Amino acid sequence: FISSQYPACSVEVVGEEGLGLSRECWFENSAQEKTSRSSIRGEVERLVSPEKLVIVDSPCCVKGFRYELYCISKQARTPHCLLMSSVGLDKVIQWNEKREGIKFRE
């Protein structure tokens, strides 16, 4: 959709997997979580520009981290939007049971 409506705009997705990080690192220990946040922040700073739509696919559960991303977008003079997904616990458990490989602990 974005490409058809805004052909000059490129889309970049920033997340743990693209940076070689484990998605579970947010929940394993605080040192790994801090390193992951730093890596994601750096990648967003590198990519953000008026010509790009940068999507951060990451559990931005730390309020300060969300504010840092907001400040990065404002410094680059680009719009900022935060989308949060609200899913019931029963659905999350069902999705976790279907996961292959490492599953999140309850």
Side-chain angles (χ1 to χ4, degrees), residues 38-70:
S38 178
S39 297
I40 290 172
R41 183 185 317 104
E43 189 69 5
V44 170
E45 284 179 319
R46 186 180 72 77
L47 293 172
V48 73
S49 76
E51 295 81 30
K52 290 184 183 177
L53 170 64
V54 179
I55 299 171
V56 180
D57 181 18
S58 176
C60 296
C61 48
V62 177
K63 185 177 179 182
F65 181 55
R66 291 193 305 264
Y67 182 70
E68 287 177 33
L69 295 177
Y70 167 81

Side-chain angles (χ1 to χ4, degrees), residues 11-26:
V11 178
E12 301 283 345
V13 179
V14 177
E16 292 84 4
E17 290 148 4
L19 297 171
L21 304 168
S22 165
R23 203 160 181 83
E24 288 76 21
C25 67
W26 292 93

Side-chain angles (χ1 to χ4, degrees), residues 83-89 91-92 95:
L83 300 176
M84 296 184 80
S85 173
S86 179
V87 180
L89 181 59
K91 189 67 170 176
V92 171
W95 287 344

